[in-house]
Amino acid sequence: MYSITSESSHHPDIINLIAALDRYQSELYPAESNHLLDLSELTEENLILMVIRDQQLTAVGCGAVVLNGDGTGEMKRVYIDPTHRGHHLGETLLAALEDEALSRHCHTVRLETGIKQHAAVRLYERCGYEMRPPFAPYTADPLSLFMEKALVVDVRLAAL
């Protein structure tokens, strides 16, 4: 059993998960192709940050959406600890982040990911993200892929 909750970017568990993600990505890509956003520099108004915890309340995954204030957001810092992969935690995390983004008037989520992160690309595709050209502040990079998903309210649920 896992739980997903909102968390502060200053929480030690988040800092540890992001450090693990940074180490992983630094092994895959040169510094100029690593877009490592420091979430602690963002305000709560434009950041959605969630953590996945196991039954022992150990943080095993995290992810964020940076809200741009124009109805768009960028998915950042999605990471599941390797020992907890294969339990569909990525799909569950993305759905929670997307639901919260939609509740905060974000209609489109974009992301940049690396070409060597095959599992991440498959996850995003399964969750409805489609390839797109680079978006600001990014430029074309042979080691990057850019994706986007339009978030929609289920009108059946909205009517309730």
Side-chain angles (χ1 to χ4, degrees), residues 36-52:
L36 309 177
L37 177 65
D38 182 355
L39 299 177
S40 68
E41 295 177 355
L42 302 174
T43 65
E44 288 185 23
E45 291 78 38
N46 66 344
L47 177 65
I48 301 166
L49 179 59
M50 295 186 169
V51 64
I52 303 172

Side-chain angles (χ1 to χ4, degrees), residues 36-150:
L36 309 177
L37 177 65
D38 182 355
L39 299 177
S40 68
E41 295 177 355
L42 302 174
T43 65
E44 288 185 23
E45 291 78 38
N46 66 344
L47 177 65
I48 301 166
L49 179 59
M50 295 186 169
V51 64
I52 303 172
R53 294 185 183 279
D54 64 13
Q55 289 180 330
Q56 292 75 37
L57 300 180
T58 301
V60 300
C62 64
V65 174
V66 177
L67 301 170
N68 297 320
D70 63 356
T72 67
E74 183 180 358
M75 187 75 65
K76 296 293 287 185
R77 305 313 225 146
V78 175
Y79 180 73
I80 307 296
D81 180 89
T83 61
H84 292 272
R85 293 179 186 162
H87 300 282
H88 302 286
L89 297 177
E91 288 90 343
T92 305
L93 177 61
L94 291 185
L97 287 164
E98 291 167 1
D99 286 347
E100 180 62 21
L102 194 57
S103 78
R104 291 173 64 178
H105 310 290
C106 176
H107 57 74
T108 304
V109 176
R110 298 178 178 130
L111 62 90
E112 177 276 336
T113 192
I115 62 169
K116 297 178 183 178
Q117 293 167 265
H118 305 290
V121 173
R122 287 192 305 273
L123 166 68
Y124 295 131
E125 288 175 337
R126 279 194 312 274
C127 291
Y129 288 79
E130 297 178 350
M131 296 295 175
R132 59 152 293 141
F135 55 93
Y138 303 100
T139 57
D141 181 334
L143 299 177
S144 290
L145 298 173
F146 301 91
M147 303 177 89
E148 178 176 280
K149 179 179 180 179

